Amino acid sequence: MVKPYTQKYTNPYTIYRTFKHDTDSEELCWHRDREEREVRVLQGSNWKLQLDNQLPVVLEHGNLYVIPKNRHHRIIKGDKDLVVEITLK
C-alpha cells in the first residue's frame, strides 16, 4: 500500500512527515495508531484533523495536537503542502 505522505525519522521517536497538497482526498482515510502521538504543525494551510466522534479542527502552524493511542482519526486535505513533526509517546 502506498502511503499518502513521505517521512523521515530523526530518532526512534520523532518523525517529520509531509503530505502534498495535490494528494487525492480518498487516500487520507480513517485510521488509528498503536501509540499516542503529539503532532506539531510546521507548515500547511487549511488542513484539518478529525478525531472519531468530533468535528474537524484546523491545523494551525506551531500548534501541538495530541492523538491518543488507538483513537480513530484522519487528516482532511488543505491548500498547501502539510509538514508536521510527530513525536511518538
Side-chain angles (χ1 to χ4, degrees):
M1 175 178 169
V2 176
K3 302 286 185 184
Y5 54 80
T6 58
Q7 67 181 12
K8 175 182 158 187
Y9 279 84
T10 58
N11 63 55
Y13 304 101
T14 306
I15 308 166
Y16 286 88
R17 190 171 283 176
T18 302
F19 295 85
K20 295 292 188 182
H21 72 279
D22 59 355
T23 298
D24 186 343
S25 293
E26 302 270 328
E27 295 181 53
L28 302 171
C29 57
W30 287 95
H31 67 284
R32 60 184 175 177
D33 301 305
R34 293 182 188 144
E35 64 283 305
E36 179 176 297
R37 294 172 177 225
E38 292 181 350
V39 179
R40 183 172 310 278
V41 179
L42 305 177
Q43 175 184 319
S45 175
N46 294 321
W47 288 77
K48 295 177 183 170
L49 170 65
Q50 184 174 16
L51 300 179
D52 192 27
N53 295 318
Q54 293 185 10
L55 294 173
V57 295
V58 175
L59 293 171
E60 296 183 22
H61 182 267
N63 283 4
L64 184 69
Y65 302 87
V66 176
I67 302 172
K69 73 177 185 176
N70 294 319
R71 180 83 181 263
H72 278 97
H73 63 281
R74 69 176 175 158
I75 296 292
I76 299 171
K77 187 168 105 167
D79 301 329
K80 298 181 181 174
D81 292 355
L82 174 66
V83 180
V84 295
E85 176 188 64
I86 300 169
T87 303
L88 307 176
K89 295 293 178 177

Coordinates of all heavy atoms in Angstrom, one line a residue:
M1 N 0.8 -1.2 0.0 CA 0.0 0.0 0.0 C 0.9 1.2 0.0 O 1.8 1.4 0.8 CB -0.9 0.0 1.2 CG -1.7 1.2 1.4 SD -2.8 1.0 2.9 CE -3.3 2.6 3.0
V2 N 0.6 2.2 -0.9 CA 1.4 3.4 -1.0 C 0.8 4.4 0.0 O -0.4 4.6 0.1 CB 1.3 4.0 -2.4 CG1 2.0 5.3 -2.5 CG2 1.9 3.0 -3.4
K3 N 1.7 5.0 0.8 CA 1.2 6.0 1.8 C 1.0 7.4 1.1 O 1.8 7.7 0.2 CB 2.3 6.1 2.9 CG 2.6 4.8 3.6 CD 1.5 4.4 4.5 CE 1.8 3.2 5.3 NZ 0.7 2.7 6.2
P4 N 0.1 8.2 1.6 CA -0.2 9.5 1.1 C 0.8 10.6 1.6 O 0.5 11.7 1.6 CB -1.6 9.8 1.5 CG -1.7 9.1 2.8 CD -0.9 7.8 2.7
Y5 N 2.0 10.1 2.1 CA 2.9 11.1 2.6 C 4.4 10.5 2.5 O 4.5 9.3 2.2 CB 2.7 11.3 4.1 CG 2.6 10.1 4.9 CD1 3.7 9.4 5.4 CD2 1.4 9.5 5.3 CE1 3.7 8.2 6.1 CE2 1.3 8.3 6.0 CZ 2.5 7.7 6.4 OH 2.4 6.5 7.1
T6 N 5.3 11.4 2.7 CA 6.7 11.0 2.8 C 7.1 11.3 4.2 O 6.6 12.2 4.8 CB 7.6 11.7 1.8 OG1 7.5 13.1 2.0 CG2 7.3 11.3 0.3
Q7 N 8.1 10.5 4.7 CA 8.5 10.8 6.1 C 10.0 10.5 6.3 O 10.6 9.8 5.5 CB 7.7 10.0 7.1 CG 7.9 8.5 7.0 CD 7.0 7.8 8.0 OE1 6.1 8.4 8.6 NE2 7.2 6.5 8.2
K8 N 10.5 11.1 7.4 CA 11.9 10.9 7.7 C 12.0 10.8 9.3 O 11.4 11.7 9.9 CB 12.7 12.1 7.2 CG 14.2 12.0 7.6 CD 14.9 13.3 7.1 CE 16.1 13.5 7.9 NZ 16.8 14.8 7.6
Y9 N 12.6 9.8 9.8 CA 12.8 9.7 11.2 C 14.1 10.4 11.6 O 15.1 10.2 10.9 CB 13.0 8.2 11.6 CG 11.7 7.5 11.8 CD1 11.0 6.9 10.7 CD2 11.1 7.3 13.0 CE1 9.8 6.2 10.8 CE2 9.9 6.6 13.2 CZ 9.3 6.0 12.1 OH 8.1 5.4 12.2
T10 N 14.1 11.2 12.6 CA 15.3 11.9 13.1 C 15.8 11.1 14.3 O 17.0 11.2 14.6 CB 15.0 13.3 13.5 OG1 14.0 13.4 14.5 CG2 14.6 14.1 12.3
N11 N 15.0 10.3 15.0 CA 15.4 9.4 16.0 C 14.2 8.4 16.1 O 13.2 8.6 15.4 CB 15.7 10.1 17.3 CG 14.5 10.9 17.9 OD1 13.4 10.3 18.1 ND2 14.7 12.2 18.2
P12 N 14.3 7.4 17.0 CA 13.2 6.4 17.0 C 11.8 7.0 17.4 O 10.8 6.3 17.2 CB 13.7 5.4 18.1 CG 15.1 5.5 18.1 CD 15.4 7.0 17.8
Y13 N 11.8 8.2 18.0 CA 10.5 8.7 18.5 C 10.0 10.0 17.7 O 9.0 10.5 18.1 CB 10.6 9.0 20.0 CG 11.0 7.8 20.7 CD1 12.3 7.7 21.2 CD2 10.1 6.8 21.0 CE1 12.7 6.5 21.9 CE2 10.5 5.7 21.7 CZ 11.8 5.5 22.1 OH 12.2 4.4 22.8
T14 N 10.8 10.4 16.8 CA 10.4 11.7 16.1 C 10.4 11.5 14.6 O 11.4 11.0 14.0 CB 11.4 12.8 16.4 OG1 11.5 12.9 17.9 CG2 11.0 14.1 15.8
I15 N 9.3 11.9 14.0 CA 9.1 11.7 12.5 C 8.7 13.1 11.9 O 7.9 13.8 12.5 CB 7.9 10.7 12.2 CG1 8.1 9.4 12.9 CG2 7.8 10.5 10.7 CD1 6.8 8.6 12.9
Y16 N 9.4 13.4 10.8 CA 8.9 14.6 10.0 C 8.2 14.0 8.8 O 8.7 13.2 8.1 CB 10.1 15.4 9.6 CG 10.7 16.2 10.7 CD1 11.7 15.6 11.5 CD2 10.3 17.5 11.0 CE1 12.2 16.3 12.6 CE2 10.8 18.2 12.1 CZ 11.7 17.6 12.9 OH 12.2 18.3 13.9
R17 N 6.9 14.4 8.7 CA 6.0 13.9 7.7 C 5.5 15.0 6.8 O 5.1 16.0 7.3 CB 4.9 13.1 8.4 CG 4.1 12.3 7.4 CD 3.1 11.4 8.2 NE 3.8 10.3 8.7 CZ 3.3 9.3 9.5 NH1 2.0 9.4 9.8 NH2 4.0 8.3 9.9
T18 N 5.5 14.7 5.5 CA 5.0 15.7 4.5 C 3.8 15.1 3.7 O 4.0 14.0 3.1 CB 6.1 16.2 3.5 OG1 7.2 16.7 4.3 CG2 5.6 17.2 2.5
F19 N 2.7 15.8 3.7 CA 1.6 15.5 2.9 C 1.5 16.5 1.7 O 1.4 17.7 2.0 CB 0.3 15.6 3.7 CG 0.2 14.6 4.8 CD1 0.7 14.8 6.0 CD2 -0.5 13.4 4.6 CE1 0.6 13.9 7.0 CE2 -0.6 12.4 5.6 CZ 0.0 12.7 6.8
K20 N 1.5 16.1 0.5 CA 1.4 17.0 -0.6 C 0.0 17.6 -0.8 O -0.9 16.8 -0.6 CB 1.9 16.4 -1.9 CG 3.4 16.0 -1.9 CD 4.2 17.2 -1.9 CE 5.7 16.8 -2.1 NZ 6.5 18.0 -2.1
H21 N -0.1 18.8 -1.2 CA -1.4 19.5 -1.4 C -2.2 18.8 -2.5 O -3.4 18.9 -2.5 CB -1.2 21.0 -1.6 CG -0.7 21.3 -3.0 ND1 0.6 21.2 -3.3 CD2 -1.3 21.6 -4.1 CE1 0.8 21.5 -4.6 NE2 -0.4 21.8 -5.1
D22 N -1.5 18.1 -3.4 CA -2.3 17.5 -4.6 C -2.6 16.0 -4.3 O -3.0 15.3 -5.2 CB -1.5 17.7 -5.9 CG -0.1 17.1 -5.8 OD1 0.3 16.6 -4.8 OD2 0.6 17.1 -6.9
T23 N -2.4 15.6 -3.1 CA -2.8 14.2 -2.7 C -4.3 14.0 -2.9 O -5.1 14.9 -2.6 CB -2.5 14.0 -1.2 OG1 -1.1 14.1 -1.0 CG2 -2.9 12.6 -0.7
D24 N -4.7 12.9 -3.4 CA -6.1 12.6 -3.6 C -6.7 12.4 -2.2 O -6.3 11.7 -1.4 CB -6.2 11.3 -4.4 CG -7.7 11.0 -4.7 OD1 -8.6 11.5 -4.1 OD2 -7.8 10.1 -5.6
S25 N -7.8 13.1 -1.9 CA -8.5 13.1 -0.7 C -8.9 11.7 -0.2 O -8.9 11.3 0.9 CB -9.8 13.9 -0.7 OG -9.4 15.3 -0.8
E26 N -9.1 10.8 -1.2 CA -9.5 9.4 -1.0 C -8.4 8.6 -0.3 O -8.6 7.7 0.4 CB -9.9 8.7 -2.3 CG -11.0 9.3 -3.1 CD -12.3 8.8 -2.7 OE1 -12.4 7.6 -2.3 OE2 -13.3 9.6 -2.7
E27 N -7.1 9.1 -0.4 CA -6.0 8.4 0.2 C -5.9 8.8 1.7 O -5.2 8.1 2.4 CB -4.7 8.8 -0.5 CG -4.6 8.3 -1.9 CD -3.3 8.7 -2.6 OE1 -2.3 8.4 -2.0 OE2 -3.4 9.3 -3.7
L28 N -6.5 9.8 2.1 CA -6.5 10.3 3.5 C -7.6 9.6 4.3 O -8.6 10.2 4.6 CB -6.5 11.8 3.6 CG -5.4 12.5 2.8 CD1 -5.7 14.0 2.7 CD2 -4.0 12.2 3.4
C29 N -7.4 8.4 4.7 CA -8.5 7.6 5.3 C -8.4 7.5 6.8 O -7.4 7.9 7.4 CB -8.5 6.2 4.7 SG -7.0 5.3 4.9
W30 N -9.5 7.2 7.4 CA -9.6 7.0 8.8 C -8.6 5.9 9.2 O -8.5 4.8 8.5 CB -11.0 6.6 9.3 CG -12.0 7.7 9.2 CD1 -12.8 8.0 8.2 CD2 -12.3 8.7 10.2 NE1 -13.6 9.1 8.5 CE2 -13.3 9.5 9.7 CE3 -11.7 8.9 11.5 CZ2 -13.7 10.6 10.5 CZ3 -12.2 10.0 12.2 CH2 -13.2 10.8 11.7
H31 N -7.9 6.0 10.3 CA -7.0 5.0 10.8 C -6.8 5.3 12.3 O -7.2 6.3 12.9 CB -5.7 5.0 10.0 CG -4.9 6.3 10.2 ND1 -5.2 7.5 9.7 CD2 -3.8 6.5 11.0 CE1 -4.3 8.4 10.1 NE2 -3.5 7.8 10.9
R32 N -6.0 4.4 12.9 CA -5.6 4.5 14.3 C -4.2 4.0 14.4 O -3.7 3.2 13.7 CB -6.6 3.9 15.3 CG -6.7 2.4 15.1 CD -7.7 1.9 16.0 NE -7.9 0.4 15.8 CZ -8.7 -0.3 16.5 NH1 -9.4 0.2 17.5 NH2 -8.9 -1.6 16.2
D33 N -3.5 4.5 15.4 CA -2.1 4.2 15.7 C -2.0 3.5 17.0 O -2.8 3.7 17.9 CB -1.3 5.5 15.6 CG -1.4 6.2 14.3 OD1 -1.2 5.6 13.3 OD2 -1.7 7.4 14.3
R34 N -0.9 2.7 17.1 CA -0.7 1.9 18.3 C -0.1 2.7 19.5 O -0.2 2.2 20.6 CB 0.3 0.8 18.0 CG -0.3 -0.2 17.1 CD 0.7 -1.3 16.8 NE 0.3 -2.2 15.8 CZ 1.0 -2.8 14.9 NH1 2.3 -2.6 15.0 NH2 0.5 -3.5 14.0
E35 N 0.4 3.9 19.2 CA 0.9 4.7 20.3 C 0.3 6.1 20.3 O -0.2 6.6 19.2 CB 2.4 4.8 20.2 CG 3.0 5.5 19.0 CD 3.0 4.6 17.7 OE1 3.5 3.5 17.7 OE2 2.4 5.1 16.7
E36 N 0.4 6.8 21.4 CA -0.1 8.2 21.4 C 0.9 9.0 20.6 O 2.1 8.7 20.6 CB -0.1 8.7 22.9 CG -0.5 10.2 23.0 CD -0.6 10.6 24.4 OE1 -1.5 10.1 25.1 OE2 0.2 11.5 24.8
R37 N 0.4 10.1 20.0 CA 1.3 10.9 19.1 C 1.0 12.4 19.5 O -0.1 12.8 19.6 CB 1.0 10.7 17.7 CG 1.4 9.3 17.2 CD 1.0 9.0 15.8 NE 1.5 7.7 15.5 CZ 2.1 7.3 14.4 NH1 2.2 8.2 13.4 NH2 2.5 6.1 14.2
E38 N 2.1 13.1 19.5 CA 2.0 14.6 19.6 C 2.4 15.1 18.2 O 3.4 14.7 17.7 CB 2.9 15.2 20.6 CG 2.5 14.8 22.0 CD 3.4 15.4 23.1 OE1 4.4 15.9 22.8 OE2 3.0 15.3 24.3
V39 N 1.5 15.9 17.6 CA 1.8 16.4 16.3 C 1.9 17.9 16.3 O 1.0 18.6 16.8 CB 0.6 16.0 15.3 CG1 0.8 16.6 13.9 CG2 0.4 14.5 15.3
R40 N 3.1 18.4 15.8 CA 3.3 19.9 15.8 C 3.3 20.3 14.3 O 4.0 19.6 13.5 CB 4.6 20.3 16.4 CG 4.8 21.8 16.4 CD 6.0 22.2 17.2 NE 6.0 21.7 18.6 CZ 5.3 22.2 19.6 NH1 4.5 23.2 19.4 NH2 5.5 21.7 20.8
V41 N 2.5 21.3 13.9 CA 2.4 21.7 12.6 C 3.6 22.7 12.3 O 3.7 23.7 12.9 CB 1.1 22.4 12.3 CG1 1.0 22.9 10.9 CG2 -0.1 21.5 12.6
L42 N 4.4 22.3 11.2 CA 5.5 23.2 10.8 C 5.1 24.0 9.6 O 5.7 25.1 9.4 CB 6.7 22.3 10.5 CG 7.1 21.4 11.7 CD1 8.3 20.5 11.2 CD2 7.5 22.2 12.9
Q43 N 4.2 23.5 8.8 CA 3.9 24.2 7.5 C 2.6 23.6 7.1 O 2.3 22.4 7.3 CB 5.0 23.9 6.5 CG 4.7 24.5 5.1 CD 5.8 24.0 4.2 OE1 7.0 24.1 4.5 NE2 5.4 23.6 3.0
G44 N 1.8 24.4 6.4 CA 0.5 24.0 5.8 C -0.6 25.0 5.9 O -0.4 26.0 6.6
S45 N -1.6 24.8 5.1 CA -2.7 25.8 5.0 C -4.0 25.1 4.8 O -4.2 24.3 3.9 CB -2.4 26.8 3.8 OG -3.5 27.7 3.7
N46 N -4.9 25.3 5.8 CA -6.3 24.8 5.7 C -6.4 23.3 5.9 O -7.5 22.7 5.5 CB -7.0 25.3 4.5 CG -7.2 26.8 4.5 OD1 -7.5 27.4 5.5 ND2 -7.0 27.4 3.4
W47 N -5.4 22.6 6.4 CA -5.5 21.2 6.6 C -6.3 21.1 8.0 O -6.2 21.9 8.8 CB -4.1 20.6 6.8 CG -3.4 20.4 5.4 CD1 -2.8 21.4 4.7 CD2 -3.3 19.2 4.7 NE1 -2.3 20.9 3.6 CE2 -2.6 19.6 3.5 CE3 -3.7 17.9 4.8 CZ2 -2.2 18.7 2.5 CZ3 -3.4 17.0 3.8 CH2 -2.7 17.4 2.7
K48 N -7.0 19.9 8.1 CA -7.7 19.7 9.4 C -7.4 18.3 9.9 O -7.1 17.4 9.2 CB -9.2 19.8 9.1 CG -9.6 21.2 8.6 CD -11.1 21.2 8.3 CE -11.4 22.6 7.8 NZ -12.8 22.7 7.2
L49 N -7.6 18.2 11.2 CA -7.5 16.9 11.9 C -8.9 16.6 12.5 O -9.5 17.5 13.1 CB -6.5 17.0 13.1 CG -6.5 15.8 14.1 CD1 -6.0 14.6 13.3 CD2 -5.6 16.2 15.2
Q50 N -9.3 15.4 12.3 CA -10.6 15.0 12.8 C -10.4 13.7 13.6 O -10.0 12.7 13.1 CB -11.7 14.8 11.7 CG -13.0 14.4 12.3 CD -14.1 14.3 11.3 OE1 -13.9 14.2 10.1 NE2 -15.4 14.4 11.7
L51 N -10.8 13.8 14.9 CA -10.8 12.6 15.8 C -12.2 12.0 15.7 O -13.2 12.7 15.5 CB -10.4 13.0 17.2 CG -9.0 13.6 17.4 CD1 -8.8 13.9 18.9 CD2 -7.9 12.6 16.9
D52 N -12.3 10.7 15.9 CA -13.5 10.0 15.9 C -14.5 10.7 16.9 O -14.2 11.1 18.0 CB -13.3 8.6 16.4 CG -14.5 7.7 16.2 OD1 -15.3 7.9 15.3 OD2 -14.6 6.7 17.0
N53 N -15.8 10.9 16.4 CA -16.9 11.5 17.1 C -16.6 13.0 17.5 O -17.2 13.5 18.5 CB -17.2 10.7 18.4 CG -17.7 9.3 18.1 OD1 -18.5 9.2 17.2 ND2 -17.3 8.3 18.8
Q54 N -15.8 13.6 16.7 CA -15.5 15.1 16.9 C -15.6 15.8 15.6 O -15.3 15.2 14.5 CB -14.2 15.3 17.6 CG -14.1 14.8 19.0 CD -12.8 15.2 19.7 OE1 -12.0 16.0 19.2 NE2 -12.6 14.6 20.9
L55 N -15.8 17.1 15.6 CA -15.7 17.9 14.4 C -14.3 18.1 14.1 O -13.4 18.2 14.9 CB -16.5 19.2 14.6 CG -18.0 19.2 14.9 CD1 -18.5 20.5 15.3 CD2 -18.7 18.6 13.7
P56 N -14.0 18.3 12.8 CA -12.6 18.6 12.4 C -12.1 19.9 13.0 O -12.9 20.9 13.1 CB -12.7 18.7 10.8 CG -14.0 18.1 10.5 CD -14.9 18.2 11.6
V57 N -10.8 20.0 13.2 CA -10.2 21.3 13.7 C -9.1 21.7 12.7 O -8.4 20.8 12.2 CB -9.6 21.2 15.1 CG1 -10.7 21.0 16.1 CG2 -8.6 20.1 15.2
V58 N -9.0 22.9 12.4 CA -8.0 23.4 11.5 C -6.6 23.3 12.2 O -6.4 23.6 13.4 CB -8.2 24.9 11.1 CG1 -7.1 25.4 10.3 CG2 -9.5 25.0 10.4
L59 N -5.7 22.7 11.5 CA -4.3 22.5 11.9 C -3.6 23.9 11.8 O -3.3 24.3 10.6 CB -3.6 21.4 11.2 CG -4.1 20.0 11.4 CD1 -3.5 19.0 10.5 CD2 -3.9 19.6 12.9
E60 N -3.2 24.5 12.9 CA -2.6 25.8 12.8 C -1.1 25.7 13.0 O -0.6 24.9 13.9 CB -3.2 26.7 13.8 CG -4.7 27.0 13.6 CD -5.3 27.9 14.5 OE1 -4.6 28.7 15.2 OE2 -6.5 27.9 14.7
H61 N -0.3 26.5 12.3 CA 1.1 26.5 12.3 C 1.6 26.7 13.8 O 1.2 27.6 14.4 CB 1.7 27.6 11.4 CG 3.2 27.6 11.4 ND1 3.9 28.4 12.2 CD2 4.1 26.9 10.7 CE1 5.2 28.3 12.0 NE2 5.3 27.4 11.1
G62 N 2.5 25.8 14.2 CA 3.1 26.0 15.5 C 2.3 25.3 16.7 O 2.9 25.1 17.7
N63 N 1.1 25.0 16.4 CA 0.3 24.3 17.5 C 0.6 22.9 17.6 O 1.1 22.2 16.7 CB -1.2 24.5 17.2 CG -1.7 25.9 17.5 OD1 -1.0 26.8 17.8 ND2 -3.0 26.1 17.3
L64 N 0.3 22.3 18.8 CA 0.6 20.9 19.2 C -0.8 20.2 19.3 O -1.7 20.8 20.0 CB 1.4 20.8 20.5 CG 1.8 19.4 20.9 CD1 2.8 18.9 19.9 CD2 2.3 19.5 22.3
Y65 N -0.9 19.1 18.7 CA -2.2 18.3 18.7 C -1.8 16.9 19.3 O -0.8 16.3 18.8 CB -2.8 18.2 17.4 CG -3.1 19.6 16.8 CD1 -2.1 20.3 16.1 CD2 -4.3 20.2 17.0 CE1 -2.4 21.5 15.6 CE2 -4.6 21.5 16.5 CZ -3.6 22.1 15.8 OH -3.9 23.4 15.3
V66 N -2.6 16.4 20.2 CA -2.4 15.1 20.8 C -3.4 14.1 20.2 O -4.6 14.4 20.2 CB -2.5 15.1 22.3 CG1 -2.4 13.7 22.9 CG2 -1.4 16.1 22.9
I67 N -2.9 13.0 19.7 CA -3.8 12.0 19.2 C -3.6 10.8 20.1 O -2.5 10.1 20.1 CB -3.4 11.6 17.7 CG1 -3.5 12.8 16.8 CG2 -4.3 10.5 17.2 CD1 -3.0 12.6 15.4
P68 N -4.6 10.4 20.9 CA -4.5 9.3 21.8 C -4.3 8.0 21.0 O -4.8 7.8 19.9 CB -5.8 9.3 22.6 CG -6.4 10.7 22.4 CD -5.9 11.1 21.0
K69 N -3.6 7.0 21.7 CA -3.4 5.7 21.0 C -4.7 5.0 20.8 O -5.6 5.2 21.6 CB -2.4 4.9 21.8 CG -2.9 4.3 23.1 CD -1.9 3.4 23.7 CE -2.5 2.7 24.9 NZ -1.5 1.7 25.5
N70 N -4.8 4.3 19.7 CA -5.9 3.6 19.3 C -7.2 4.4 19.0 O -8.3 3.9 19.0 CB -6.3 2.4 20.3 CG -5.2 1.4 20.3 OD1 -4.6 1.0 19.3 ND2 -4.8 1.0 21.5
R71 N -7.0 5.7 18.9 CA -8.2 6.6 18.6 C -8.3 6.8 17.1 O -7.3 7.2 16.4 CB -8.0 7.9 19.3 CG -9.1 8.9 19.1 CD -10.2 8.6 20.1 NE -11.3 9.6 19.9 CZ -11.5 10.7 20.6 NH1 -10.6 11.0 21.5 NH2 -12.5 11.4 20.4
H72 N -9.4 6.5 16.5 CA -9.6 6.7 15.0 C -9.5 8.2 14.7 O -10.0 9.0 15.5 CB -11.0 6.1 14.6 CG -10.9 4.7 14.3 ND1 -11.4 3.8 15.3 CD2 -10.5 4.0 13.3 CE1 -11.2 2.6 14.8 NE2 -10.7 2.6 13.6
H73 N -8.8 8.5 13.6 CA -8.7 9.9 13.2 C -8.3 9.9 11.8 O -8.0 8.9 11.1 CB -7.6 10.6 14.1 CG -6.2 10.0 13.9 ND1 -5.9 8.8 14.6 CD2 -5.1 10.3 13.2 CE1 -4.6 8.5 14.2 NE2 -4.1 9.4 13.4
R74 N -8.4 11.1 11.2 CA -8.0 11.3 9.8 C -7.5 12.8 9.6 O -7.8 13.6 10.4 CB -9.1 11.0 8.9 CG -10.3 12.0 9.0 CD -11.3 11.7 7.9 NE -12.5 12.6 8.1 CZ -13.3 12.9 7.2 NH1 -13.2 12.3 6.0 NH2 -14.3 13.7 7.4
I75 N -6.8 13.0 8.5 CA -6.4 14.3 8.1 C -7.3 14.7 6.9 O -7.6 13.8 6.0 CB -4.9 14.3 7.7 CG1 -4.0 13.9 8.8 CG2 -4.5 15.6 7.0 CD1 -4.0 15.0 9.9
I76 N -7.7 15.9 6.9 CA -8.5 16.4 5.7 C -7.7 17.4 5.0 O -7.1 18.3 5.6 CB -9.8 17.1 6.3 CG1 -10.7 16.0 7.0 CG2 -10.6 17.7 5.1 CD1 -11.9 16.6 7.7
K77 N -7.6 17.2 3.7 CA -6.7 18.0 2.8 C -6.9 19.5 2.8 O -8.0 20.0 2.9 CB -6.9 17.4 1.4 CG -5.9 18.0 0.4 CD -6.0 17.2 -0.9 CE -6.7 17.9 -1.9 NZ -6.6 17.3 -3.3
G78 N -5.8 20.2 2.7 CA -5.8 21.6 2.7 C -5.2 22.2 1.4 O -5.3 21.4 0.4
D79 N -4.7 23.4 1.4 CA -4.3 24.1 0.2 C -2.9 23.9 -0.2 O -2.5 23.9 -1.4 CB -4.6 25.6 0.3 CG -6.0 25.9 0.6 OD1 -6.9 25.2 0.1 OD2 -6.3 26.9 1.3
K80 N -2.0 23.9 0.8 CA -0.6 23.8 0.5 C 0.0 22.6 1.2 O -0.7 22.0 2.0 CB 0.2 25.1 1.1 CG -0.3 26.4 0.4 CD 0.4 27.5 1.0 CE 0.0 28.8 0.3 NZ 0.5 30.0 0.9
D81 N 1.2 22.2 0.9 CA 1.8 21.0 1.5 C 1.7 21.1 3.0 O 1.9 22.2 3.6 CB 3.2 20.8 1.1 CG 3.3 20.4 -0.4 OD1 2.3 20.3 -1.1 OD2 4.5 20.4 -0.9
L82 N 1.4 20.0 3.7 CA 1.4 20.0 5.1 C 2.7 19.3 5.6 O 3.0 18.2 5.1 CB 0.2 19.2 5.6 CG 0.1 18.9 7.1 CD1 -0.1 20.2 7.9 CD2 -1.0 17.9 7.4
V83 N 3.4 19.9 6.5 CA 4.6 19.3 7.1 C 4.4 19.3 8.6 O 4.1 20.4 9.2 CB 5.9 20.1 6.8 CG1 7.1 19.5 7.4 CG2 6.1 20.2 5.3
V84 N 4.5 18.2 9.2 CA 4.4 18.0 10.7 C 5.5 17.3 11.3 O 6.2 16.5 10.7 CB 3.0 17.3 11.0 CG1 1.8 18.1 10.6 CG2 3.0 15.9 10.4
E85 N 5.7 17.6 12.6 CA 6.7 16.8 13.4 C 5.8 16.0 14.3 O 5.0 16.5 15.1 CB 7.6 17.8 14.2 CG 8.5 17.0 15.1 CD 9.2 18.0 16.0 OE1 8.5 18.6 16.9 OE2 10.4 18.1 15.9
I86 N 6.1 14.7 14.3 CA 5.3 13.7 15.1 C 6.2 13.1 16.1 O 7.3 12.6 15.8 CB 4.7 12.6 14.2 CG1 3.8 13.2 13.2 CG2 4.0 11.6 15.1 CD1 3.4 12.2 12.1
T87 N 5.8 13.2 17.4 CA 6.5 12.6 18.5 C 5.7 11.4 19.0 O 4.6 11.6 19.4 CB 6.8 13.6 19.6 OG1 7.5 14.8 19.1 CG2 7.6 13.0 20.7
L88 N 6.3 10.3 19.0 CA 5.7 9.0 19.4 C 5.9 8.9 20.9 O 7.0 9.2 21.5 CB 6.3 7.8 18.8 CG 6.3 7.9 17.2 CD1 7.0 6.6 16.7 CD2 5.0 8.0 16.6
K89 N 4.8 8.7 21.7 CA 4.8 8.6 23.1 C 4.8 7.1 23.6 O 4.3 6.3 23.0 CB 3.7 9.4 23.7 CG 3.8 10.9 23.4 CD 5.0 11.4 24.2 CE 5.2 12.8 23.9 NZ 6.3 13.4 24.7

